[in-house]
Amino acid sequence: MCRGLSLAALPPAKLRLLWGSSVSKACADGASPALVQELGRGRLQQLRHLSLRRSRVDERALRALATISSLEELDFGESTLVAQEAGLADLIAALPRLGALSLSACGLRAGDALDPLLLSIHAAPALRDLDLSENDVDDAAVSRLGNFLSRAFRLRLTHTFAPARTRHSAAPPAPAVTAPLSSQLPVT
Amino acid sequence: MTDETALVLAGACPALTSLDVSRTAVSDVGARALLARCRALQSVGLAASRCTAEAIDSIRAEAPPALTSVDLSYLQLAPCAASKAAGVGQAAATRLRALALEGERILLGTALHEFTALAVLRLAGVSADLVALERGLAGLRRLEDVDLTNAGERPFPGTRLLLPCPALPRVCECSIARHQL
């Protein structure tokens, strides 16, 4: 659950009141591409955490996000990424402080199209936390990703599909969707 | 994701600190490789994977030294294996801070007493002897967050669960939905 400033319901005129502010955490779940572009225009240079869950994000929106170089955590969970892998790769390359990226249930597909994304993940200097759950990334893609992760890393691959020969006999789905257990540890 | 990929990850990513392969086709073979090779793991998720009691044996035998969080929910373990899951192994148990065994057929006994460092415990939907459950919980003095939703004896008897609240001084999150108190 996003606990930052919620932006998705704001009209653009109100949104612009934030520009130049010191907002460090924002939530724009369910945002349209236009709103995401507007965020980019705002040059919120102190914004570190941004949730864009269940949003629709196209290539122009990704380019706009790339201007917020202060971003450390970015959550695209359950979003429709129109630009797909190539645009994401460019975004990751443009965010030097990005430490955590969630791409869960974003419709990422197996195949060569993932390579630019995997390369950008490998090259991202600060990235330490990656969520690829619930995407159709196959074993080959995960294996290629593995070859890139030589540093300390948190990786979520839940509900990534098995190859066709085993898909029908895959493990039963868990009835409840909960946050990963490790994230529920109390802060000490 | 399958065991083949788990083996690749185990070989290529020894520095992984957290890995969640829940709801994938990873089985005991993959889990064993990951636990053996990824010695920096602090958290591992195997919920609803194809792991069996053998994976629990791997945790007993080869738990990475930093492991503090394990998710073994929905593994459809037999009662005896579920009891073993509740034990996990004394060496690992004493440092685990988070454990999930949701949906398992657990015969808890006193196994939970081993988890002296637990802060988070997820037991939603477990089938358990309530007296044993109460006794197990009573020993967990560091618990802060416990989920007992629909936990109880089967068939569901209109469950009575006497939470030993005085014995759980730090619990601030507790779900006991679907219980008749």
Side-chain angles (χ1 to χ4, degrees):
Chain A
M1 182 176 64
C2 179
R3 291 177 180 166
L5 180 63
S6 182
L7 303 177
L10 288 177
K14 292 279 176 64
L15 197 59
R16 287 180 194 122
L17 294 175
L18 292 171
W19 297 172
S21 72
S22 58
V23 170
S24 65
K25 186 170 185 177
C27 169
D29 293 354
S32 65
L35 186 137
V36 179
Q37 286 178 50
E38 198 63 38
L39 273 175
R41 285 193 200 102
R43 302 285 200 276
L44 295 167
Q45 292 307 334
Q46 297 192 48
L47 189 62
R48 290 186 290 132
H49 308 270
L50 178 60
S51 176
L52 288 167
R53 296 186 68 81
R54 297 181 296 281
S55 299
R56 184 173 166 81
V57 184
D58 62 12
E59 196 165 355
R60 280 193 296 181
L62 288 174
R63 281 202 299 269
L65 287 174
T67 64
I68 311 176
S69 59
S70 55
L71 279 177
E72 296 173 5
E73 290 185 23
L74 192 49
D75 187 351
F76 285 117
E78 301 175 64
S79 291
T80 304
L81 298 173
V82 179
Q84 285 285 352
E85 292 83 357
L88 275 174
D90 292 341
L91 173 65
I92 293 168
L95 299 176
R97 296 180 189 172
L98 191 64
L101 176 65
S102 175
L103 297 168
S104 64
C106 282
L108 298 180
R109 294 183 300 272
D112 294 341
L114 269 180
D115 278 355
L117 178 59
L118 298 181
L119 283 168
S120 69
I121 289 167
H122 174 54
L127 196 59
R128 294 287 185 276
D129 193 328
L130 180 64
D131 188 347
L132 291 174
S133 300
E134 299 182 58
N135 286 295
D136 192 7
V137 291
D138 59 6
D139 275 13
V142 176
S143 297
R144 291 201 299 279
L145 175 68
N147 292 326
F148 293 147
L149 301 182
S150 55
R151 55 187 186 267
F153 222 91
R154 300 171 60 86
L155 188 58
R156 288 199 77 210
L157 294 167
T158 66
H159 220 295
T160 44
F161 293 118
R165 67 178 185 277
T166 57
R167 191 173 295 176
H168 294 298
S169 55
V177 177
T178 56
L181 189 63
S182 56
S183 72
Q184 298 170 26
L185 280 173
V187 177
T188 53
Chain B
M1 178 169 167
T2 63
D3 282 335
E4 290 172 31
T5 320
L7 291 169
V8 171
L9 283 180
C13 311
L16 279 178
T17 56
S18 174
L19 180 64
D20 193 343
V21 292
S22 299
R23 289 176 280 168
T24 66
V26 169
S27 74
D28 298 326
V29 174
R32 189 186 314 127
L34 289 165
L35 290 163
R37 300 291 299 276
C38 302
R39 302 303 290 171
L41 275 178
Q42 298 165 15
S43 169
V44 63
L46 298 168
S49 64
R50 292 183 181 172
C51 290
T52 69
E54 281 187 40
I56 298 157
D57 284 337
S58 297
I59 295 173
R60 285 172 176 266
E62 304 188 77
L67 192 69
T68 58
S69 175
V70 175
D71 191 344
L72 298 171
S73 300
Y74 305 106
L75 292 184
Q76 300 182 334
L77 300 170
C80 59
S83 292
K84 191 190 284 188
V88 174
Q90 193 170 16
T94 53
R95 64 169 181 268
L96 280 189
R97 299 193 61 229
L99 175 68
L101 293 166
E102 295 183 8
E104 305 291 8
R105 296 177 62 195
I106 305 290
L107 302 175
L108 286 168
T110 56
L112 280 180
H113 281 297
E114 306 285 344
F115 293 86
T116 51
L118 270 190
V120 178
L121 179 60
R122 302 270 159 213
L123 294 176
V126 298
S127 180
D129 175 84
L130 288 179
V131 174
L133 182 57
E134 288 173 2
R135 285 180 184 161
L137 286 170
L140 305 180
R141 306 293 300 224
R142 297 187 185 179
L143 265 189
E144 297 177 19
D145 183 347
V146 56
D147 188 350
L148 297 167
T149 300
N150 198 23
E153 295 163 340
R154 300 291 185 272
F156 207 64
T159 305
R160 170 196 63 87
L161 182 67
L162 298 177
L163 269 181
C165 291
L168 300 175
R170 298 177 65 170
V171 168
C172 54
E173 296 275 347
C174 181
S175 170
I176 49 173
R178 299 185 62 181
H179 286 277
Q180 293 178 9
L181 298 177

